[in-house]
Amino acid sequence: MADPKRLKLFRNIGIIAHIDAGKTTVTERVLFYTGRSHRMGEVHDGTAVMDWMEQEQERGITITSAVTTCMWRDHELHLIDTPGHVDFTIEVERSLRVLDGAIAVFSGVDGVEPQSETVWHQADRYHVPKIAFVNKMDRIGADFEATVNQIREKFKTVPLPIQIPVGAEADFRGIIDLVTMKQVTWLDETLGAEFQVTDIDPALLPRAAEAREDLVAKLGEYDDSLMERYLEGGEITSSELIPVLRKLTLDLRAVPVLCGSALKNKGIQPLLDAIVDFLPSPLDVPPIEGVNPKTNAIEERKGSDKDPLAALAFKIFMDQGRKLTYARIYSGTLRVGSDLLNVSKGVREKVSRIFQMHANKRDRMENAGAGEIVAILGLKTAMTGDSLCDPDHPVLLEPVEIYEPVISIAVEAQTRGDQEKLMESLGRLSEEDPTFRFNENQDTGQTIISGMGELHLEIVMTRLERDYHVSVNAGKPQVVYRETITREAVANGLFDRDLGGTRHYAAVNVKISPRARGLGNTVVNQVRDESIPENFFPAIEQGIQDAFSSGAISGYPVVDACVEVSGGTFQEGVSSELAFRVAASMAFRNAFEQAAPIMLEPYMSVEVLVPDEFLGEVLGDINMRKGRVESITARKAIQVITAVVPLSRMFGYSTALRSSTQGRATFTMHFSHYDLASQG
């Protein structure tokens, strides 16, 4: 149970970063030093506690966000390790939606990488305070100051280094803590569990004193009393600096920056101290707000066990056929056997069990209070983003933003017996992952699965075989196109038919016009006379929304169109909602065909890191793929190319890039926007 004193000692935090920056290695060290696990798991050996799925262990990457709880300085840390690969960005999105703080991990060699930017901006959108940890300081090419400068430039924030590294690359030994002005050195023989805190090496003192003065001066800009003490030249203690640092972090005005090498077991304990000192407890974040579905009034729920229960389901996981719902409790108390209202679905449910999770292991709980992140068994209808509340005090919380899939493949079961199992298994996978969709093509009878990238669909295929024992054949990846229009058009739709002995009649007139790219669709009621009664407009709107799902060129969804309903015909006694819905859909289709429709395809934002000598080959290849190079910047002996390339041209790019650069170039890509389909 979470009384206010205990809530003050809670930290709900996530570890976010670009793929391969070392998030999971950091998490494994956190679990070891807090006593939560008794051996260190390694990503490269496939033994990481938090990467417990087979596919994660084989590939050495995080695919699903894993939740755990550990203790440090009497504080209870609820920790979520999130994936870094862009195909699994929904895992980061839904984790950040329910977290209070985040640790952004950066590679000291690679600095701020594309997916680091994506996850940082996701955290900003949910107003999540952050601390930065510059990892891999023991690696050749590691540069702490360059990474700090990139954080400042790329995120337009104020990075505040509260440590500086002692030694660099193979000589990296420890850190100087600028808050306490002490040197910390880790003992290799204890796997980093023990460290020495000593006075600063005299040779390093001038650099440390300069960095400390810089930190105090920056903090003084935000705190008048600290600035006065600084100008007077008085000795400023750590107890004076920590509250100012904490306030700036919580207000999202600055980011404390630490450094270390997780793989070499250096720098983790000060990071844990920083989590406790600078990141928020549930009491430090504003009360959660939601809409009362009965009154439409905005209500807030304070982080207290005494307020009515309000929780958000942020992740669904199927475990041996049983549905686990991960939820963040914002207020109130959740009890085994109690009734819940799923406000998003309007359904009452019963809680059969509550678990505190440690990756894929679980500890049973009888109840859980405000601020806790738990897994619930027994909820049949819950999906990602659903609001779970006290049935007598419903409140609808802001849901999780869901991304649209951009790539599809056709799959078929290898045997007739597997076909039924296939549809059931795909249904379960889509419950877990809202960015994964599937549907049966009525024309071809094929099952089409859609996701965020080639790796995403590859993982789905592997899980079908291993977890659900369904063998499938897959077609080649297909791009999920969109359709839109390029000019205005007007048309009408007439529906006049006998159905089951009853006549249904309606006529609808519409005008369709293009909108700017990315603005989406809109339906506007412009009927100013009495030609269509107001009560039929919801049916008309529904008919048009149905028509948006399938364009006239190839049946892809329609985007960026404005439909104005200008009038129609209504006949007393024979006009029905069904007739208006069908007539509106027909009017839309007729107008769409006359509005010069075109196909749009997804364009990807691609970043390639390539050694100087292969720059020409890579640029030539991007050109051949109809890509547009936006910038080329030097990073030591590496050139960083950013480009926008049609997704249809990116299939098999990793193999082509490896062969043309002797395996020395790497690339990342994420969805950028939809635009006119490339020709040829």
Side-chain angles (χ1 to χ4, degrees):
M1 290 291 290
D3 60 49
K5 278 184 188 165
R6 240 194 101 193
L7 266 180
K8 201 173 171 53
L9 303 177
F10 271 30
R11 297 290 183 273
N12 288 319
I13 53 168
I15 301 193
I16 60 174
H18 185 91
I19 191 166
D20 221 21
K23 292 178 307 304
T24 302
T25 307
V26 169
T27 312
E28 293 299 318
R29 298 318 185 255
V30 165
L31 297 180
F32 182 72
Y33 299 135
T34 57
R36 180 74 223 218
S37 58
H38 301 296
R39 65 173 179 77
M40 277 186 208
E42 299 293 2
V43 175
H44 53 269
D45 295 337
T47 56
V49 175
M50 301 298 272
D51 284 353
W52 56 270
M53 287 173 72
E54 266 183 65
Q55 294 94 311
E56 294 180 313
Q57 292 166 357
E58 286 169 8
R59 295 166 190 269
I61 61 168
T62 304
I63 292 167
T64 181
S65 50
V67 182
T68 190
T69 305
C70 53
M71 301 296 292
W72 185 256
R73 280 173 39 189
D74 297 327
H75 286 66
E76 190 171 312
L77 313 184
H78 295 191
L79 189 68
I80 299 184
D81 175 29
T82 66
H85 196 288
V86 66
D87 281 15
F88 311 108
T89 192
I90 182 64
E91 294 287 342
V92 186
E93 184 80 25
R94 57 187 176 186
S95 300
L96 287 169
R97 171 66 185 82
V98 298
L99 291 170
D100 300 328
I103 303 158
V105 179
F106 299 95
S107 159
V109 180
D110 301 308
V112 176
E113 297 173 274
Q115 190 62 7
S116 317
E117 294 188 56
T118 304
V119 295
W120 188 281
H121 296 315
Q122 283 174 307
D124 278 346
R125 188 161 68 245
Y126 292 120
H127 306 292
V128 175
K130 296 165 284 293
I131 53 181
F133 181 71
V134 181
N135 193 24
K136 303 190 178 184
M137 288 307 301
D138 60 308
R139 294 268 294 273
I140 292 170
D143 190 331
F144 179 68
E145 284 179 21
T147 306
V148 171
N149 288 334
Q150 283 183 33
I151 292 171
R152 178 183 299 107
E153 288 158 18
K154 294 203 173 182
F155 301 136
K156 302 290 182 272
T157 188
V158 179
L160 295 173
I162 57 171
Q163 300 173 351
I164 54 172
V166 175
E169 301 180 343
D171 188 37
F172 176 68
R173 304 188 297 283
I175 56 113
I176 291 172
D177 184 329
L178 300 177
V179 177
T180 59
M181 284 302 273
K182 292 288 182 186
Q183 187 167 325
V184 185
T185 311
W186 277 267
L187 306 176
D188 290 334
E189 59 272 18
T190 66
L191 290 175
E194 291 179 20
F195 49 88
Q196 291 176 334
V197 180
T198 58
D199 287 336
I200 297 167
D201 182 332
L204 301 172
L205 202 51
R207 181 172 156 234
E210 187 184 335
R212 171 59 142 61
E213 187 157 328
D214 191 41
L215 173 67
V216 174
K218 277 185 182 156
L219 289 175
E221 290 174 25
Y222 299 96
D223 187 279
D224 292 344
S225 60
L226 193 64
M227 182 57 90
E228 277 177 34
R229 301 258 296 115
Y230 169 66
L231 293 173
E232 286 166 6
E235 183 60 40
I236 296 173
T237 63
S238 57
S239 59
E240 290 174 274
L241 293 181
I242 288 173
V244 182
L245 266 166
R246 179 178 178 78
K247 184 167 186 343
L248 291 178
T249 308
L250 298 189
D251 292 346
L252 268 68
R253 287 196 287 170
V255 178
V257 186
L258 300 87
C259 62
S261 166
L263 191 63
K264 295 293 169 67
N265 314 313
K266 295 178 171 69
I268 301 300
Q269 294 92 339
L271 177 63
L272 283 161
D273 286 337
I275 291 168
V276 168
D277 288 338
F278 307 127
L279 289 180
S281 77
L283 296 177
D284 294 316
V285 295
I288 192 82
E289 288 189 341
V291 176
N292 184 322
K294 293 177 181 172
T295 63
N296 281 334
I298 291 177
E299 295 184 0
E300 61 177 40
R301 297 282 187 271
K302 295 189 177 72
S304 156
D305 296 340
K306 295 184 175 64
D307 265 34
L309 176 71
L312 187 80
F314 69 94
K315 180 178 165 70
I316 306 295
F317 187 72
M318 293 293 176
D319 185 26
Q320 297 170 346
R322 295 191 299 175
K323 185 172 177 177
L324 269 181
T325 303
Y326 286 73
R328 158 75 191 262
I329 303 170
Y330 286 100
S331 65
T333 305
L334 184 70
R335 291 187 173 82
V336 171
S338 64
D339 280 349
L340 275 184
L341 175 66
N342 180 337
V343 187
S344 309
K345 301 281 189 297
V347 176
R348 283 175 85 113
E349 302 248 38
K350 194 170 278 296
V351 177
S352 56
R353 286 186 189 167
I354 305 171
F355 300 107
Q356 186 176 75
M357 299 302 292
H358 177 49
N360 61 332
K361 298 180 177 64
R362 50 180 94 158
D363 299 325
R364 285 181 69 163
M365 307 167 75
E366 285 307 306
N367 50 52
E372 298 197 56
I373 292 174
V374 295
I376 308 166
L377 200 62
L379 307 186
K380 294 183 177 67
T381 62
M383 301 287 277
T384 296
D386 283 359
S387 301
L388 309 172
C389 303
D390 178 336
D392 298 326
H393 300 89
V395 65
L396 189 62
L397 306 176
E398 180 195 348
V400 177
E401 184 172 323
I402 305 298
Y403 298 89
E404 288 296 314
V406 294
I407 184 171
S408 297
I409 55 175
V411 296
E412 59 182 24
Q414 287 182 2
T415 66
R416 194 178 285 269
D418 273 349
Q419 183 58 34
E420 205 170 300
K421 267 171 69 180
L422 171 64
M423 299 311 281
E424 189 184 320
S425 307
L426 291 175
R428 290 185 170 176
L429 286 167
S430 69
E431 274 196 62
E432 281 187 24
D433 180 355
T435 60
F436 170 69
R437 315 272 170 85
F438 72 99
N439 68 298
E440 206 162 353
N441 187 311
Q442 298 303 320
D443 300 330
T444 63
Q446 286 182 311
T447 302
I448 309 292
I449 63 173
S450 307
M452 299 300 292
E454 287 181 275
L455 179 62
H456 187 193
L457 294 184
E458 211 179 293
I459 298 292
V460 167
M461 301 289 287
T462 313
R463 288 198 62 195
L464 277 173
E465 204 160 303
R466 292 189 187 172
D467 300 355
Y468 295 99
H469 311 293
V470 180
S471 297
V472 293
N473 297 321
K476 284 187 173 170
Q478 299 290 319
V479 174
V480 180
Y481 290 92
R482 296 283 187 266
E483 298 184 22
T484 193
I485 54 170
T486 55
R487 66 175 185 227
E488 291 185 357
V490 293
N492 62 344
L494 172 67
F495 185 79
D496 187 359
R497 199 172 296 173
D498 279 350
L499 297 174
T502 306
R503 185 178 169 221
H504 293 263
Y505 173 88
V508 175
N509 305 330
V510 301
K511 175 186 170 187
I512 189 169
S513 48
R515 303 185 80 202
R517 201 71 70 238
L519 282 184
N521 297 323
T522 180
V523 182
V524 184
N525 182 2
Q526 294 285 23
V527 180
R528 296 290 174 259
D529 53 20
E530 302 292 311
S531 60
I532 302 176
E534 191 71 32
N535 59 313
F536 285 114
F537 191 73
I540 292 171
E541 184 167 11
Q542 188 58 55
I544 294 168
Q545 293 293 356
D546 293 344
F548 279 142
S549 65
S550 176
I553 305 175
S554 300
Y556 288 108
V558 175
V559 295
D560 304 332
C562 171
V563 181
E564 295 177 20
V565 182
S566 54
T569 317
F570 158 79
Q571 289 184 8
E572 191 72 55
V574 290
S575 286
S576 63
E577 288 190 358
L578 170 68
F580 273 110
R581 184 169 171 174
V582 178
S585 186
M586 291 165 68
F588 173 84
R589 288 188 182 285
N590 294 338
F592 186 81
E593 286 173 11
Q594 297 170 41
I598 55 166
M599 297 277 280
L600 300 176
E601 71 171 313
Y603 280 69
M604 309 304 283
S605 184
V606 181
E607 181 172 282
V608 188
L609 275 65
V610 56
D612 289 344
E613 62 264 40
F614 299 111
L615 181 64
E617 286 98 317
V618 172
L619 288 172
D621 187 44
I622 288 172
N623 223 14
M624 274 173 52
R625 293 171 190 272
K626 309 277 186 188
R628 185 180 74 247
V629 174
E630 300 204 312
S631 70
I632 304 170
T633 50
R635 194 185 290 170
K636 296 191 175 167
I638 296 281
Q639 297 291 335
V640 182
I641 304 167
T642 56
V644 175
V645 190
L647 173 60
S648 58
R649 311 281 174 153
M650 289 300 290
F651 295 134
Y653 183 62
S654 54
T655 310
L657 185 68
R658 271 200 300 272
S659 60
S660 67
T661 63
Q662 299 169 9
R664 291 172 60 196
T666 59
F667 84 102
T668 54
M669 70 175 185
H670 60 271
F671 173 71
S672 171
H673 64 283
Y674 272 94
D675 212 335
L676 188 61
S678 57
Q679 303 299 311

